[in-house]
């Protein structure tokens, strides 16, 4: 399905009323390739979206927005694991629910993360002490120029905190069409983060973890269908042990999470909250009053409102803590993605 000059309000979770020159909903790889070829012929940019849950449109998009609607879930059971191949257009949370309903635990900590399966490896999505890279074994990548599909094994994905090779080397001219998962039958509850610490490791089931994660997220995070938002706007910052030590001397209750590489992860939401920014508003954009890490569209926000608010949050946090926050959300200008830090500087 192709439509020209279409409003993207229903295709980005910030619910911004920006327009695209063309919108294509692609249910097949052939449609994706043809859309790419047509965009190239017209010398127009092409932007691939899944759920539109991690983007901030800065203005109208001058080219084609391609919605990845590839569907399908295949499961192969082995002696020690379930091997899943999932098409990129599947909804992420619905996949989590599907695995639990079919007795395949392992994704429950990642429940209610908005977006599609194809978007998950790009950001290396994570929540409640777990990241996608722990269960992802490969990503199938379509080269739009030659129509070939290459399987990128886990080792080549260059997963890191909210990072992957798909944000860099495979940023243009490629689209994720499928993701492979391995869910081990030697399941263990991951309860080291937040409210999950209250659960008993010996008796807690995957479904109980799932329900606890859903309850916590629903209590703190706004539903994009009700109030436009893109989930966590900023990454949790990584600092040196020395910086963390100095901050903990000043703020003993500050959450901090030592990392394997020697750095320390801080909670961006806590830093923003300590600056008294919950509920702070510029135009129609505001810091959510229950979760400071989320910037929301209260109904009539412009792209510039959100940019100005993000700038204010960053500048306020650095003034108080001398720690710079980096956006997790991708910034999209008329011709494609741009450097979010440059926009906010």
């Amino acid at each position: 399905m192709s439509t020209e000059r279409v409003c993207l309000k229903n295709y980005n979770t910030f619910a911004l009323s920006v327009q695209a020159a063309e919108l294509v909903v692609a249910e097949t790889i052939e449609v994706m390739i043809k859309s790419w070829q047509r965009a190239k012929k017209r010398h127009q940019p092409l932007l691939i979206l899944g759920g539109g849950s991690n983007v901030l449109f800065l203005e109208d998009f001058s080219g084609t927005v391609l919605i990845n609607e590839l569907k399908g879930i295949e499961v192969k059971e082995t002696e020690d694991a379930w091997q899943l191949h999932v098409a990129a257009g599947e909804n992420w949370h619905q996949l989590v629910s599907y695995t639990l309903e079919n007795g395949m635990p392992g994704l429950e900590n990642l429940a209610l993360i908005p977006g599609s399966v194809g978007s998950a490896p790009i950001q290396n999505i994570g929540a409640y002490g777990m990241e996608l890279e722990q269960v992802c074994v490969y990503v199938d990548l379509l080269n739009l120029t030659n129509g070939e599909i290459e399987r990128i094994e886990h080792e080549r994905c260059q997963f890191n905190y909210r990072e992957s090779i798909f944000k860099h080397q495979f940023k243009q001219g490629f689209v994720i069409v499928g993701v492979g998962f391995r869910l081990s039958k030697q399941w263990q509850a991951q309860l080291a983060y937040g409210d999950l610490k209250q659960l008993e490791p010996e008796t807690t089931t995957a479904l109980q973890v799932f329900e606890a994660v859903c309850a916590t997220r629903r209590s703190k995070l706004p539903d994009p269908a009700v109030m436009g938002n893109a989930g966590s706007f900023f990454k949790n910052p990584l600092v040196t042990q020395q910086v963390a030590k100095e901050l903990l001397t000043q703020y003993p209750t500050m959450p901090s999470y030592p990392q394997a590489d020697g750095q320390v992860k801080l909670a961006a939401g806590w830093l923003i909250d300590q600056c008294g920014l919950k509920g702070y508003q510029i135009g129609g954009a505001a810091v959510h009053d229950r979760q400071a890490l989320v910037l929301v569209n209260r109904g009539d926000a412009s792209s510039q409102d959100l940019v100005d608010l993000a700038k204010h949050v960053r500048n306020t946090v650095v003034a108080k803590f001398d720690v710079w926050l980096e956006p997790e959300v991708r910034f999209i200008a008329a011709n494609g993605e741009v450097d979010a830090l440059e926009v906010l500087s």
Side-chain angles (χ1 to χ4, degrees):
M1 184 190 79
S2 172
T3 311
E4 294 190 1
R5 295 309 305 170
V6 64
C7 178
L8 298 175
K9 184 172 184 177
N10 294 331
Y11 296 94
N12 74 99
T13 60
F14 264 124
L16 294 170
S17 297
V18 292
Q19 289 195 324
E22 183 181 27
L23 177 76
V24 176
V25 177
E27 297 178 356
T28 67
I29 286 170
E30 289 73 24
V31 170
M32 292 179 172
I33 295 171
K34 285 179 182 176
S35 299
W36 171 258
Q37 291 170 341
R38 189 167 63 249
K40 289 289 125 184
K41 194 173 181 180
R42 295 176 177 175
H43 304 288
Q44 289 183 333
L46 181 139
L47 176 70
I48 297 150
L49 285 185
S53 60
N54 201 49
V55 294
L56 171 59
F57 282 98
L58 302 177
E59 54 193 331
D60 290 345
F61 189 68
S62 65
T64 299
V65 169
L66 183 79
I67 307 296
N68 188 334
E69 281 285 335
L70 300 178
K71 301 294 186 184
I73 301 173
E74 299 171 17
V75 181
K76 291 181 181 176
E77 185 174 355
T78 63
E79 190 175 331
D80 59 352
W82 293 277
Q83 308 280 353
L84 283 75
H85 177 88
V86 185
E90 292 285 351
N91 176 273
W92 175 261
H93 178 68
Q94 288 176 13
L95 171 66
V96 176
S97 299
Y98 171 88
T99 55
L100 290 174
E101 287 165 5
N102 287 276
M104 299 179 287
L107 298 179
E108 54 283 339
N109 290 57
L110 304 179
L112 272 187
I113 294 179
S116 66
V117 169
S119 304
I122 300 173
Q123 288 290 112
N124 185 23
I125 60 171
Y128 296 95
M130 181 184 174
E131 290 187 331
L132 179 91
E133 65 173 303
Q134 294 170 236
V135 290
C136 178
V137 289
Y138 64 78
V139 173
D140 280 354
L141 194 69
L142 170 66
N143 184 324
L144 289 165
T145 302
N146 62 24
E148 294 179 359
I149 296 174
E150 181 181 3
R151 180 155 291 180
I152 311 298
E153 303 290 346
H154 179 279
E155 294 72 23
R156 288 182 57 205
C157 291
Q158 297 179 17
F159 287 129
N160 211 323
Y161 175 61
R162 300 299 174 270
E163 275 289 339
S164 73
I165 196 170
F166 309 107
K167 293 178 92 168
H168 306 285
Q169 184 178 327
F170 298 124
K171 191 173 176 179
Q172 290 292 330
F174 298 89
V175 56
I176 292 172
V177 294
V179 183
F181 300 92
R182 181 184 183 276
L183 303 181
S184 173
K185 290 183 177 178
Q186 300 300 312
W187 177 82
Q188 285 188 314
Q190 298 191 47
L191 306 176
Y193 194 93
D195 295 343
L196 298 184
K197 289 180 181 178
Q198 299 170 15
L199 300 176
E200 286 293 331
E202 295 80 15
T203 58
T204 297
T205 66
L207 184 59
Q208 287 172 326
V209 175
F210 172 84
E211 290 172 344
V213 168
C214 289
T216 301
R217 290 184 74 93
R218 286 186 174 120
S219 70
K220 294 180 180 179
L221 301 174
D223 183 348
V226 178
M227 184 181 292
N229 73 91
S232 300
F233 194 91
F234 297 101
K235 299 177 185 177
N236 289 322
L238 293 166
V239 299
T240 64
Q241 291 183 11
Q242 183 60 34
V243 168
K245 184 178 179 183
E246 290 170 3
L247 285 170
L248 282 165
T249 301
Q250 286 182 270
Y251 308 98
T253 61
M254 180 186 74
S256 61
Y257 308 94
Q259 304 296 294
D261 62 2
Q263 292 183 293
V264 179
K265 185 188 291 184
L266 307 181
W270 186 89
L271 299 174
I272 298 167
D273 192 8
Q274 293 303 301
C275 293
L277 289 173
K278 277 183 179 174
Y280 186 87
Q281 188 163 346
I282 294 179
V287 179
H288 192 243
D289 53 13
R290 281 185 290 175
Q291 172 49 275
L293 193 52
V294 177
L295 305 188
V296 299
N297 174 4
R298 287 203 162 155
D300 59 349
S302 67
S303 301
Q304 194 59 48
D305 290 342
L306 287 158
V307 169
D308 291 345
L309 181 62
K311 280 184 184 178
H312 180 77
V313 169
R314 289 186 82 230
N315 292 338
T316 306
V317 168
V318 79
K320 184 176 179 70
F321 296 103
D322 199 24
V323 172
W324 282 108
L325 297 182
E326 291 187 18
E328 184 175 320
V329 173
R330 299 165 58 203
F331 283 32
I332 310 296
N335 293 311
E337 186 170 359
V338 293
D339 188 321
L341 289 178
E342 286 186 12
V343 174
L344 296 180
S345 62

